[in-house]
Structures are given as structure tokens and as C-alpha cells.
RNA sequence: GGAAGCGUAGCUCAGUUGGUCAGAGCGCAUGCUUCACAUGCAUGAGGUCGCGGGUUCAAGCCCCUCCGUUUCCACCA
């Protein structure tokens, strides 16, 4: 036995992980004799470093997969990484910029070369970091969203959807990021309120001094106005409808149209219409057949349609236009106005809605069965409230813009005939044009939304489009673990994709967790500088501590708070486990430890702890099966620290330090058994330290990681022993309490007088009381009168406890303390009587409950009587 | 505008189907250099379970109003 005095994870974490890997414990293969249990990892971006959010997500998944593996499932945790189209491209562009180059300078081919090089260099970084956490992924299956197999799946899906008419190309208004210079899906836009202004502009009626006032938050867009709209019911504008207005600055003629979309109560009730740069205006434009005039280019710079403003940045132009309008008298007023502005989820620049030709996925038909799957509970969100969020999104879903004007990603498998322009969508470049017979094609320049490939993740990782053994065995996966922030991006899209392409749901459960916040409840962010690096924590405290810190007490769907104090508390707990184990192992040294429970002669304490352990086994199992990891950890911790360490180990000491060699061996063996079971229960959460300790336990062969998870044993109830033990514990607590209240030093042995009819039980367990309460001698008495000298008392149900403390006894204090306890008992009696006197309660409450109240009444009446006697006696003595 | 969560001890949070349910950890106070652990042990103080109503024999738990707080969705120019 050689264990350091304190838990030091650096001594073994790396070694243990390597050992698991070498032994192939993480690998899963289709096995007809076992039931599969599958989790696919939410693939981290190759650009990313492990952050605390990953740490939480992976810790949850790892604890689940380890639990299931120990339960005997063929447990597969399938790892991989995501190419993160925009995020990675931004990195490469930055890299180029540092060299004074642009994307266009190097060209597509060179750009992709650099991207792949970057992926090779940094893409594995996050994988190594996941390993440090202890993640038991089957690394032999490591997938990448842009590797050959996944690309194959992407092409297959794209072509299929196209042929079904579910993918189409169209010129529509989309979200455009002028900084990333690409289209974005609706989900990729984040809205934030910003203080801005309402600029009220005067548009004159052609050939008249009449005018109409429109209000706008983006005055620079007036250059692209092709109408002004008013509500048809608005009496204010009755006379102006159908007339022609003169657009200031450009002096262009535009009509006044009627549209129900206009809210009469908002602004001036007249809206300038710019179909090219506003989603609603675009719709109005369609209805009224308006001209679509783009005034901005892809970089947010005003274009040739902007006249003299051409070449100006959008905000620069705003200033200039406002100034010009003021000069020309077209600016009526400026009103402060807070408005909600869309930002790119990657670069956080303000997005511009623009009209552009893009590829879309038709959502209506795909969404329907995806909604049904959740409604019918084929897929369950945990907690269930997230299904509402899901419905809300799915039921109002618009077509998904999937093309991106980027280079890093899956290039869209659409080919244009160089001769006639015919579009051919196929997995490879077509040989001849089906329309004109020409053989030259150009592939579409765009790539697909990153989320298009991640949507296929649960089946693309298992071999799709081929119908592999893996796919047949491991699909559908069992649980998807992720944060609520990517329900739309990812979860929803996997659901409709799985149903559409596999004909089956991709997973049965979706376990949603929250985000990790700092000790003040704030989101961790770069700008606040309150983020913490999980790798630094692992270095300092070990992976187990970090994992446990994130897992203990979490509940599905709720955020977790991180604080250094909490981390330290977790470290202390593991240190406690470490030291308790050290104690057990020290006492096993040189002994023939019995590994079978049946060979051990069990003491009262043994039976008590085994019975409690058995209950905990059930509790942990039930909670883990519900994915209630936080509860599993918490109840286990309570058991380990309080029952096992503070009570059981102490209860074992008399026999361990005694003379009875046989008893010593039995006690050590029982300790070993309990410890071994505890380590198994703890392993899913803190795998390293449990493995390290397990390897030292006599008779524990192999690895705890692949050992069998403890099962509830209905024959280990030991009801009587449990009750007896709790009486003993009550007595011990009473003596300790008496010592503390009278100031009697804990190191001084005292005698203990008991009046009880449970002499046998207590006498059999007297060594426990002697040790734990530091008692010299226990004496039994028929009744209180026989006891001589000054004592301090505690009246329990069935036992009266008296500690002779001589001069330390303060009658006044003792009387007031007893009176307090008397009041307590009286309150209990009152409460029980109240319930039992209630006709309704007696008539309607369950029998067991009524019996319980009756028993309580009897018990407290007895206690009350004895306390009264004790008080009377003290008062007469005083 | 729509939806959801949260409000329980000084702090952070548990609390399943209404009934041993008023809890844990931290912090605080007091006492312990006991042979696993001071990253520890023992003992203790602390709460109108946000406010007000309702349902029930019985309500942190179910229903309603309100207050405070957080988040998501939509978006009106």
C-alpha cells in the first residue's frame, strides 16, 4: 500500500487514461448479445479550444456512457469535430491579412490548402483536450464533418433533397453579413436592442406642396425606396393614395401604395418601402410589383444606385444623407428610438437584409413529421419544457437558406452548363449536359451552411449512405446531450434530417443542460474576462475535481454556477474519498481479505452500512436512468461522507484496533467490500481517482471502468439492524451534544447511565458507543431514581441518557434546556393531536399515515412524561 | 407582442406522484494537535418556502392575481 497523504491527481490521471486507451476499453462494436447504447458527441469546432461549456457537456456525456457501459450495454460514445465553416474561414482570412493578403489574392485552391493545413495543425487540439477530461470516446471512430465519408453523406442528402424538390434556388431576401460577406440563415442572426434614432423624412407629392412624412431607422436606405406604403383604412392618407412622390436627393418618382402590413399607430403611419433591403418591404414589393433596387454591395458599401454616395460605407452614408436631407429641408425631426438590430452570430457585425440568389431547403414537409415525433414522444426533451420552444420554432419555420458565400465548407454539388446554363445537381461533375449535350460545367461557387453537415451527424458518423452494420446496430442513438443554445441550429435539424433520410428518429432523448456562469451568475465572456480555462483547472485540481464540480447538483435545463469555493469543496470531497480509501487499504495490509460478502461474519455496523449502501445503489441507478446526474452525485456524496466516513469507518475502529484477529479480518473485508462498491458508484463521475484506488484494492481484479455496476439487492434490507444502529447513533449524538453544551472536554472519558428496555441491543453495541462518544463505562438502570450524583440528561424514544458530570452540571441551565425540549415534545403532540382530531384527516388520509401520527403521539407523550419527571427531580434537588 | 424559467437559511442551490419535507454545501459560532484526512472531526445558531387569494382532511409542491428577476422567440418601418 502506497498512497500519498493527500489526493494528487497528477500522479495518475495521464497514466490511467493511456492505460484505458491501450486496453481498448473505449471501443464499441456491434454485438448481438448486448444492447447498444449510443451517444454522438456534439462535434466541437476545430477552431475551438476546450472551454468550460464543453467541459460540462462532455462530463455529462461521459458519466452517462460510463454508467451504461458498466451496466452491460455496448456503449458507444462517438467523437468527432466540426469544420465550422465561417469560424474557420475567419481564422484563415485573419492569417492572410497578417501577411498582407486577401482571400482573393491567393485564390480558392490555395485558400483551401491553407485551411486544411490549419485543420491538421489545430483540429486535433480539442481532441487532446477532451482526453484530458477523461472522455471515454471510441477514438477509432473519430469523425470530421468534412472528411471523405461525411462529405459523401452531405452530397447524397443534397442530391436527394434536390430531386425530391425540397432544395431549390431562389432570389429572396436573406440575412447578409457584410463583414463575413456571406448569407446567413435566420437562426444565425442574433438580435440586440440598440439606442438609435427615428429620422422623420418629408417626401413631396409630385408637382405639389403636399407631402407625406415617413419615419425610418436606416435613412441611408431611402436611396433604394421604390414606394411609400400606407394602411388602406388610414383616413389621414386617403387623398394621397395612388399619387406619385418624389424621392428626395435622387428625385426619383415613386408611388404611394396601400398595404395592410402598415400599422397606423406606429410612427407616422406611412412607411418607406425598400424591397431590396428589408424582409417586410420585400413582401410588400412582391404584392405591388415594385422595383427592387439594391443600394449596397456585399461589403456594406453603397453601390452605383446610391448616386453620389456610391463608395461610401453604410454608416458614413447615413451621416451624409441626414446632413443633406437637413439642408434640403426634407428632414422633419430626429426622435430617439431604441431598436432591435440583427447581428452576425460569428462576427457580431450588424447584418443587412439583402435580396440575393441563394439555395434553400423547403421546410414545410420536413418540419411536419419532426413535430409529430416529439408530440408522440418518440423523442423526449428533458426537461420537457424545451419541446415547447422546439414546437414554436418548427411550427413557424421559414425555408432554410443553406448557401454560404465562403470557400471552407462542402461545396454545393450543383453544376452549370457552360454552354446553355442548365443546372445539374449530382454527386459528381456530370459528363454531358442533358439539355444541350455540351460537356463543360462549372460547379456552384458556394458552400453549404456548416449546420447542413452537422444535421446528418447521428447517421453520417455511423456509415450513411451505406447501410453499414454500425448503422443498423447503433442507430438510432439513445441520448443527445447539449445546451439549449443550439436547439434550433442543430437539434431540430438533426431530427428532421434523421426522419427524412433514415426514415427514423436520430435519438430518443434530448438532454438539455444550461450554461456555466460565474460566481455572480454572469455569463462567462471574453469582454468581462470572467471566463475560466478548464485546462488550467485540470492542471491544478485534476480532471475529476473539475468534472465533479460541474456535475454535482446540476439539474437538466438549468444553468450551473462556477466558483473557486465550489471547486475547492469538490477537491476536498475527493481528498476525503482518497483518505478514507487510504485508511481502508492500510487496514487490509497483511490480511487475507475475503472478497465474497457471504464469507464475512457481518457486524451490526456492517449490516447497517450495507443496507444503506444498497439503498444508495438503487437511488443512484434510478437517478442516472433519468439522467438526473446532479441528484445521483449529491445523494452519493452524502452517503460517502457522512455514513461511510463519519460513521462507518469510526464504527469499524474498535474491532480494527482490537485483539480479535478474526474480527479484524472480517471488518477489513467488509470495509473493502463497501469501498469497492462505492468506487463503482462513483466511477462514472470521477473516473480517474476511482480507477487509481480500485487498482489497489485486494481482490478487485481488472479495471473499475469495465466492472459491473452495483445492482440493488432486495435481501440487504436489514431492517432491524438498521433500526438498532440508529438507536446507537442517537445515543452517541446525545452524549456528544451533552458534552458540547456543558463544556465537558471531548478528550475526557465519561460514564454513561442508561434507563432503557433495550439493554441487549445496546450492550451488544457498547464498543461503538464507547469509541464514538468516548465513554468509559455504560451502566444500565431500572429507573432514574437509582442514579446518584449530578447528571445531564437527554430523553430519547425508548432510551433515557444520563451523563454524570459532577460539578460541571449547572442545574439552572439543565432545567431550561429540558424545558426547551419539553416544549418541543408538546408541540409535536399538539400537531399530531390536531391531525388526529380532524375528522377529514382520519376519514381520508391513507392508513399508514394515520398510524404514523398515532405512533408519533405515543412516542412524544412518553418523552414528555419523562422530561417532566426529570425536571421535577432537578427542581427538588436544587 | 408571444412564451418559458426562477424567487426556499447570510450565500449557492436540492426538494420526485400534494402527506417523516423544511434539507445540503459554503459561510458563521464554539470546542478539538484522538494513530485516514485541519483539503479534517464534533456540536450549534439561522427560514412567514416572494406577496395575497383559492382547491384539499393536508400545499415550497396544484390553480389564480400581483411583485421582483432571468431567458427565448417574433419584430413596426
Amino acid at each position: 500500500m502506497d498512497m500519498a497523504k493527500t489526493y494528487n491527481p497528477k500522479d495518475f490521471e495521464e497514466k490511467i487514461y493511456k492505460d484505458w486507451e491501450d486496453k481498448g476499453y473505449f471501443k464499441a462494436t456491434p454485438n448481438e448479445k448486448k444492447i447498444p447504447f449510443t451517444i454522438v458527441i456534439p462535434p466541437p469546432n476545430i477552431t475551438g479550444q476546450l472551454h468550460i461549456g464543453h467541459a460540462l457537456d462532455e462530463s455529462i456525456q461521459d458519466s452517462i456512457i460510463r454508467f451504461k457501459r458498466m451496466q452491460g450495454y455496448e456503449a458507444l460514445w462517438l467523437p468527432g469535430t466540426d469544420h465550422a465553416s465561417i469560424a474557420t474561414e475567419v481564422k484563415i482570412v485573419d492569417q492572410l491579412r497578417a501577411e498582407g493578403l486577401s482571400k482573393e489574392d491567393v485564390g480558392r485552391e490555395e485558400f483551401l490548402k491553407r485551411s486544411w493545413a490549419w485543420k491538421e495543425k489545430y483540429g486535433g487540439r480539442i481532441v487532446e483536450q477532451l482526453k484530458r477530461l477523461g472522455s471515454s470516446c471510441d477514438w477509432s471512430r473519430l469523425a470530421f464533418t468534412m472528411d471523405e465519408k461525411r462529405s459523401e453523406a452531405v452530397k447524397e442528402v443534397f442530391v436527394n433533397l434536390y430531386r425530391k424538390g425540397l432544395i431549390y434556388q431562389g432570389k429572396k431576401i436573406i440575412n447578409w453579413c457584410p463583414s463575413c460577406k456571406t448569407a446567413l440563415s435566420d437562426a444565425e442572426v442574433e438580435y440586440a436592442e440598440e439606442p438609435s434614432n427615428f429620422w422623420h423624412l418629408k417626401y413631396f407629392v409630385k408637382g405639389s406642396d403636399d407631402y407625406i412624412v415617413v419615419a425610418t431607422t436606416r435613412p441611408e436606405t431611402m436611396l433604394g425606396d421604390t414606394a411609400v406604403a400606407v394602411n388602406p383604412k388610414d383616413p389621414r392618407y386617403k387623398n394621397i393614395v395612388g399619387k406619385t412622390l418624389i424621392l428626395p436627393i435622387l428625385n426619383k418618382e415613386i408611388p404611394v401604395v396601400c398595404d395592410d402590413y402598415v400599422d397606423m399607430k406606429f410612427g407616422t403611419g406611412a412607411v418607406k418601402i425598400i424591397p431590396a433591403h428589408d424582409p417586410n418591404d420585400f413582401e410588400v414589393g412582391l404584392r405591388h410589383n415594385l422595383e427592387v433596387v439594391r443600394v449596397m454591395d456585399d461589403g456594406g458599401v453603397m453601390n452605383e444606385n446610391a448616386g453620389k454616395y456610391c463608395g461610401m460605407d453604410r454608416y458614413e452614408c447615413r451621416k451624409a444623407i441626414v446632413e443633406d436631407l437637413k439642408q434640403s429641408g426634407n428632414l422633419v425631426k430626429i426622435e430617439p428610438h431604441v431598436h432591435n438590430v440583427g447581428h452576425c452570430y460569428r462576427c457580431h457585425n450588424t447584418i443587412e437584409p439583402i435580396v440575393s440568389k441563394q439555395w434553400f431547403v423547403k421546410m414545410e414537409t420536413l418540419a411536419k413529421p419532426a413535430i409529430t415525433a416529439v408530440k408522440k414522444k418518440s423523442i423526449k426533451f428533458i426537461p420537457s419544457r424545451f419541446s415547447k420552444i422546439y414546437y414554436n420554432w418548427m411550427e413557424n419555420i421559414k425555408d432554410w437558406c443553406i448557401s454560404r458565400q465562403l470557400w471552407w465548407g462542402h461545396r454545393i454539388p450543383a453544376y452549370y452548363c457552360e454552354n446553355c446554363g442548365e443546372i445539374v445537381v449530382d454527386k459528381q461533375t456530370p459528363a454531358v449536359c442533358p439539355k444541350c449535350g455540351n460537356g463543360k460545367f462549372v460547379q456552384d461557387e458556394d458552400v453549404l451552411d456548416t449546420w447542413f453537415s452537422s444535421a446528418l451527424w447521428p447517421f453520417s458518423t455511423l456509415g450513411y449512405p451505406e447501410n453499414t452494420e454500425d448503422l443498423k446496430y447503433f442507430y438510432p442513438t439513445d441520448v443527445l446531450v447539449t445546451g439549449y443554445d443550439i436547439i434550433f441550429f442543430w437539434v431540430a435539424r438533426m431530427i428532421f434530417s434523421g426522419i427524412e433520410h433514415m426514415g427514423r428518429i436520430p435519438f430518443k432523448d434530448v438532454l438539455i443542460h444550461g450554461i456555466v456562469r460565474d460566481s455572480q451568475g454572469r455569463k462567462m465572456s471574453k469582454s468581462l474576462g470572467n471566463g475560466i480555462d478548464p485546462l488550467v483547472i485540470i492542471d491544478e485540481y485534476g480532471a475529476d475535481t473539475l468534472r465533479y464540480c460541474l456535475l454535482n447538483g446540476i439539474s437538466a435545463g438549468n444553468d450551473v454556477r462556477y466558483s473557486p469555493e465550489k471547486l475547492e469543496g469538490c477537491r476536498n470531497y475527493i481528498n476525503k474519498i482518497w483518505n478514507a480509501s487510504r485508511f481502508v487499504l492500510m487496514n487490509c495490509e497483511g490480511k487475507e481479505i475475503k472478497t465474497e460478502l457471504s464469507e464475512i461474519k457481518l457486524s451490526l455496523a456492517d449490516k447497517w452500512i450495507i443496507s444503506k449502501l444498497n439503498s444508495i445503489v438503487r437511488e443512484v441507478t434510478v437517478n442516472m436512468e433519468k439522467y438526473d446526474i446532479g441528484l445521483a452525485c449529491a445523494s452519493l456524496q452524502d452517503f460517502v461522507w457522512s455514513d461511510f466516513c463519519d460513521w462507518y469507518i469510526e464504527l469499524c475502529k474498535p474491532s480494527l484496533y482490537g485483539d480479535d484477529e478474526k474480527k479484524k479480518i472480517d471488518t477489513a473485508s467488509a470495509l473493502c467490500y463497501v469501498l469497492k462498491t462505492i468506487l463503482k458508484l462513483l466511477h462514472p463521475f470521477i473516473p480517474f481517482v476511482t480507477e487509481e484506488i480500485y487498482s489497489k484494492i485486494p481482490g478487485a481484479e481488472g479495471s473499475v471502468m469495465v466492472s459491473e455496476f452495483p445492482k440493488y439487492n432486495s435481501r440487504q434490507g436489514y431492517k432491524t439492524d438498521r433500526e438498532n444502529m440508529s438507536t446507537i447513533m442517537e445515543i452517541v449524538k446525545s452524549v456528544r451534544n451533552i458534552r458540547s453544551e456543558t463544556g465537558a472536554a471531548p478528550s475526557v472519558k465519561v460514564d454513561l447511565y442508561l434507563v432503557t428496555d433495550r439493554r441487549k441491543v445496546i450492550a451488544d453495541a457498547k464498543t461503538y458507543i464507547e469509541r464514538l462518544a468516548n465513554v468509559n463505562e455504560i451502566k444500565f438502570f431500572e429507573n432514574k431514581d437509582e442514579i446518584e450524583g449530578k447528571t445531564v440528561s437527554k430523553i430519547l424514544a425508548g432510551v433515557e441518557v444520563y451523563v454524570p458530570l459532577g460539578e460541571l452540571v449547572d442545574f439552572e441551565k439543565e432545567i431550561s434546556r429540558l424545558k426547551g425540549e419539553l416544549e418541543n415534545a408538546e408541540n409535536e403532540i399538539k400537531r399530531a393531536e390536531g391531525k388526529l382530531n380532524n375528522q377529514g384527516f382520519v376519514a381520508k388520509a391513507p392508513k399508514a399515515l394515520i398510524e404514523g401520527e398515532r405512533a408519533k403521539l405515543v412516542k412524544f407523550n412518553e418523552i414528555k412524561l419523562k422530561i417532566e419527571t426529570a425536571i421535577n427531580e432537578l427542581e427538588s434537588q436544587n
Side-chain angles (χ1 to χ4, degrees):
Chain A
M1 216 291 297
D2 110 70
M3 281 178 87
K5 197 177 168 186
T6 49
Y7 155 65
N8 186 5
K10 274 204 185 112
D11 294 345
F12 51 82
E13 289 195 350
E14 207 181 323
K15 174 196 85 184
I16 284 175
Y17 196 84
K18 191 172 177 300
D19 197 48
W20 286 333
E21 256 194 313
D22 289 348
K23 290 191 170 133
Y25 289 163
F26 301 156
K27 281 198 178 155
T29 42
N31 177 348
E32 287 313 321
K33 289 187 193 123
K34 285 178 155 191
I35 302 168
F37 189 93
T38 317
I39 302 179
V40 288
I41 204 169
N45 292 350
I46 50 166
T47 52
Q49 296 251 42
L50 189 79
H51 59 65
I52 198 78
H54 293 122
L56 172 66
D57 195 47
E58 315 310 347
S59 297
I60 293 172
Q61 291 171 74
D62 196 47
S63 65
I64 294 171
I65 207 79
R66 283 179 184 272
F67 168 69
K68 292 289 176 181
R69 191 181 291 121
M70 288 173 77
Q71 275 194 321
Y73 289 88
E74 185 65 26
L76 169 63
W77 186 13
L78 213 163
T81 51
D82 194 293
H83 67 281
S85 183
I86 298 187
T88 309
E89 179 139 342
V90 165
K91 295 255 177 196
I92 307 300
V93 169
D94 283 349
Q95 197 187 59
L96 288 169
R97 191 181 299 131
E99 296 171 33
L101 295 167
S102 73
K103 258 172 86 173
E104 290 71 21
D105 289 338
V106 294
R108 187 169 195 138
E109 204 177 319
E110 171 61 21
F111 184 86
L112 287 178
K113 223 188 216 167
R114 280 178 179 249
S115 306
W116 277 105
W118 199 90
K119 189 257 166 189
E120 289 314 315
K121 193 167 172 197
Y122 299 112
R125 194 169 50 177
I126 190 116
V127 170
E128 291 313 308
Q129 293 169 340
L130 287 175
K131 289 184 179 180
R132 292 205 56 200
L133 254 185
S135 311
S136 61
C137 300
D138 182 351
W139 299 110
S140 69
R141 296 167 176 273
L142 184 68
F144 176 53
T145 48
M146 239 169 87
D147 62 21
E148 210 175 308
K149 285 184 176 162
R150 265 44 69 180
S151 301
E152 202 48 44
V154 165
K155 279 187 235 164
E156 177 82 17
V157 162
F158 189 96
V159 172
N160 286 346
L161 286 175
Y162 181 79
R163 291 190 181 151
K164 286 179 197 162
L166 294 177
I167 279 184
Y168 66 93
Q169 204 175 21
K171 200 171 183 186
K172 306 214 291 186
I173 190 131
I174 45 90
N175 307 294
W176 183 267
C177 174
S179 169
C180 301
K181 293 192 180 161
T182 179
L184 297 172
S185 68
D186 294 340
E188 287 166 313
V189 181
E190 283 173 354
Y191 289 89
E193 290 200 333
E194 280 175 13
S196 176
N197 290 316
F198 237 165
W199 286 271
H200 291 246
L201 313 180
K202 218 185 250 183
Y203 287 8
F204 284 94
V205 176
K206 185 184 174 189
S208 154
D209 287 339
D210 286 347
Y211 60 85
I212 191 164
V213 177
V214 294
T216 179
T217 53
R218 296 185 299 161
E220 70 281 9
T221 63
M222 56 88 51
L223 299 167
D225 285 357
T226 50
V228 165
V230 296
N231 192 290
K233 293 193 195 86
D234 198 330
R236 291 174 294 180
Y237 301 115
K238 274 256 146 59
N239 299 328
I240 217 159
V241 173
K243 290 196 172 152
T244 300
L245 302 173
I246 302 295
L247 191 62
I249 299 175
L250 296 181
N251 292 322
K252 194 173 144 183
E253 297 187 3
I254 57 169
V256 177
V257 299
C258 280
D259 202 286
D260 288 327
Y261 146 76
V262 180
D263 181 351
M264 290 187 278
K265 290 188 275 300
F266 192 83
T268 61
V271 188
K272 60 189 261 329
I273 299 296
I274 170 147
H277 294 286
D278 182 278
N280 289 306
D281 293 5
F282 181 75
E283 297 297 323
V284 175
L286 286 181
R287 286 195 284 275
H288 299 277
N289 216 3
L290 299 176
E291 197 190 347
V292 177
V293 180
R294 261 187 74 168
V295 291
M296 242 175 259
D297 72 5
D298 293 349
V301 174
M302 307 314 286
N303 67 12
E304 63 283 359
N305 292 328
K308 67 172 185 177
Y309 305 99
C310 179
M312 272 188 181
D313 170 80
R314 51 185 164 160
Y315 298 114
E316 216 181 304
C317 173
R318 177 175 298 178
K319 261 191 220 158
I321 283 198
V322 169
E323 193 49 42
D324 290 348
L325 289 171
K326 203 189 221 167
Q327 295 300 324
S328 65
N330 288 83
L331 183 65
V332 181
K333 64 171 173 178
I334 304 174
E335 206 176 53
H337 178 71
V338 175
H339 98 138
N340 219 0
V341 183
H343 300 266
C344 169
Y345 84 134
R346 280 293 160 218
C347 71
H348 304 291
N349 278 293
T350 305
I351 61 115
E352 282 299 331
I354 62 170
V355 168
S356 164
K357 193 177 180 188
Q358 303 287 344
W359 290 91
F360 296 88
V361 174
K362 214 179 217 165
M363 287 309 305
E364 213 187 328
T365 48
L366 291 171
K368 266 191 188 155
I371 292 167
T372 313
V374 177
K375 286 237 156 102
K376 277 176 29 199
K377 302 229 157 70
S378 308
I379 297 173
K380 283 203 298 280
F381 279 88
I382 304 161
S384 59
R385 69 183 132 95
F386 287 98
S387 48
K388 274 196 183 170
I389 294 176
Y390 171 82
Y391 295 141
N392 182 45
W393 193 70
M394 273 300 207
E395 281 162 2
N396 298 299
I397 198 163
K398 290 186 189 135
D399 286 355
W400 175 17
C401 175
I402 50 168
S403 44
R404 297 289 177 273
Q405 288 61 52
L406 302 168
W407 286 347
W408 177 244
H410 298 277
R411 196 156 171 183
I412 291 177
Y415 302 86
Y416 304 93
C417 172
E418 279 192 5
N419 187 39
C420 70
E422 174 74 356
I423 302 174
V424 179
V425 170
D426 206 343
K427 291 207 268 183
Q428 55 276 316
T429 317
V432 282
C433 174
K435 200 172 171 190
C436 71
N438 175 43
K440 277 201 173 165
F441 286 87
V442 216
Q443 185 170 1
D444 195 296
E445 292 291 321
D446 292 351
V447 300
L448 288 165
D449 181 0
T450 272
W451 300 98
F452 190 90
S453 56
S454 16
L456 320 179
W457 194 243
F459 46 95
S460 69
T461 49
L462 287 167
Y464 176 92
E466 274 176 71
N467 192 17
T468 59
E469 290 304 309
D470 278 348
L471 202 54
K472 282 185 253 180
Y473 186 76
F474 290 114
Y475 190 91
T477 68
D478 290 89
V479 60
L480 182 92
V481 181
T482 193
Y484 47 68
D485 46 340
I486 54 175
I487 292 179
F488 307 137
F489 282 119
W490 194 44
V491 181
R493 286 163 180 170
M494 280 192 286
I495 293 176
F496 66 68
S497 301
I499 294 170
E500 175 67 19
H501 308 297
M502 290 294 297
R504 294 170 78 188
I505 51 162
F507 31 73
K508 295 158 199 154
D509 295 313
V510 182
L511 177 59
I512 303 287
H513 60 246
I515 58 170
V516 184
R517 293 173 178 275
D518 73 2
S519 56
Q520 292 166 58
R522 301 174 304 179
K523 264 189 186 175
M524 291 190 176
S525 73
K526 271 184 196 150
S527 52
L528 278 174
N530 60 346
I532 46 151
D533 183 351
L535 297 166
V536 171
I537 295 177
I538 292 175
D539 281 337
E540 212 170 320
Y541 289 88
D544 286 331
T545 304
L546 173 62
R547 289 167 65 114
Y548 195 76
C549 185
L550 295 171
L551 293 177
N552 185 28
I554 55 161
S555 54
N558 294 323
D559 293 344
V560 203
R561 242 180 237 220
Y562 167 86
S563 71
E565 292 79 17
K566 195 171 168 187
L567 187 72
E568 225 155 87
C570 294
R571 192 267 321 268
N572 294 354
Y573 172 47
I574 298 177
N575 184 60
K576 185 75 185 173
I577 295 167
W578 180 265
N579 271 291
S581 306
R582 194 159 75 98
F583 174 82
V584 173
L585 295 173
M586 273 167 58
N587 283 286
C588 287
E589 280 199 321
K591 293 194 183 78
E592 287 273 325
I593 296 301
K594 300 167 181 171
T595 51
E596 289 301 315
L597 207 51
S598 54
E599 302 171 77
I600 305 169
K601 187 167 178 279
L602 298 174
S603 67
L604 173 63
D606 296 338
K607 288 181 195 161
W608 168 76
I609 196 75
I610 287 168
S611 152
K612 287 215 113 182
L613 175 65
N614 195 38
S615 306
I616 286 298
V617 166
R618 180 166 54 187
E619 209 172 323
V620 170
T621 306
V622 166
N623 284 326
M624 282 308 281
E625 275 164 358
K626 287 192 294 190
Y627 305 123
D628 215 331
I629 297 164
L631 263 186
C633 286
S635 56
L636 196 47
Q637 174 169 335
D638 183 45
F639 170 79
V640 170
W641 205 319
S642 159
D643 293 326
F644 181 67
C645 295
D646 294 342
W647 283 99
Y648 182 59
I649 284 184
E650 295 306 319
L651 290 166
C652 287
K653 283 179 178 175
S655 56
L656 287 175
Y657 299 152
D659 304 321
D660 186 337
E661 288 304 317
K662 269 175 110 174
K663 213 172 173 184
K664 278 189 190 182
I665 293 177
D666 278 330
T667 302
S669 302
L671 269 167
C672 243
Y673 167 84
V674 177
L675 176 62
K676 200 162 76 179
T677 310
I678 287 173
L679 292 174
K680 289 181 182 192
L681 293 171
L682 287 169
H683 181 263
F685 318 112
I686 46 175
F688 291 109
V689 70
T690 47
E691 190 71 90
E692 175 67 8
I693 299 167
Y694 194 83
S695 70
K696 299 175 193 293
I697 291 191
E701 281 174 21
S703 153
V704 66
M705 178 184 162
V706 290
S707 70
E708 193 188 352
F709 200 78
K711 284 200 178 102
Y712 177 71
N713 184 341
S714 59
R715 284 166 305 173
Q716 290 179 345
Y718 298 123
K719 197 165 171 258
T720 317
D721 300 279
R722 214 159 150 159
E723 277 165 12
N724 290 342
M725 193 68 228
S726 95
T727 301
I728 303 301
M729 288 163 77
E730 284 302 312
I731 294 170
V732 169
K733 282 190 220 169
S734 303
V735 178
R736 286 170 172 175
N737 177 264
I738 287 169
R739 275 179 186 284
S740 162
E741 289 197 357
T742 53
S747 54
V748 175
K749 280 198 193 283
V750 292
D751 283 341
L752 175 61
Y753 302 158
L754 300 173
V755 177
T756 179
D757 51 5
R758 309 189 63 191
R759 287 190 189 193
K760 169 106 177 55
V761 167
I762 294 166
D764 286 349
K766 76 182 179 72
T767 51
Y768 295 143
I769 300 172
E770 286 163 3
R771 168 95 198 178
L772 270 63
N774 201 19
V775 164
N776 192 37
E777 195 184 353
I778 299 173
K779 287 184 189 160
F780 292 102
F781 293 88
E782 263 327 301
N783 65 60
K784 173 75 173 75
D785 302 341
E786 297 173 11
I787 298 173
E788 287 177 10
K790 293 177 177 177
T791 60
V792 180
S793 60
K794 201 101 200 181
I795 311 298
L796 307 172
V799 189
E800 293 165 51
V801 176
Y802 298 94
V803 182
L805 286 170
E807 293 316 307
L808 281 174
V809 180
D810 177 335
F811 278 117
E812 292 295 323
K813 246 172 115 181
E814 180 65 359
I815 288 170
S816 84
R817 193 176 59 82
L818 281 171
K819 279 187 175 164
E821 285 184 19
L822 181 67
E823 204 186 316
N824 248 341
E826 279 168 344
N827 283 339
E828 290 296 330
I829 291 166
K830 232 185 261 169
R831 194 183 306 167
E833 275 176 350
K835 278 192 171 181
L836 290 167
N837 288 338
N838 182 335
Q839 292 303 314
F841 178 76
V842 182
K844 291 183 182 172
K847 270 219 170 85
L849 205 72
I850 299 170
E851 284 313 307
E853 288 303 324
R854 290 209 172 113
K856 214 189 245 176
L857 191 60
V858 172
K859 179 178 142 188
F860 282 106
N861 268 320
E862 183 201 322
I863 289 175
K864 181 190 166 194
L865 211 76
K866 286 183 180 159
I867 296 175
E868 278 168 350
T869 316
I871 290 174
N872 285 339
E873 222 163 292
L874 281 173
E875 277 176 342
S876 67
Q877 275 178 48
N878 202 358

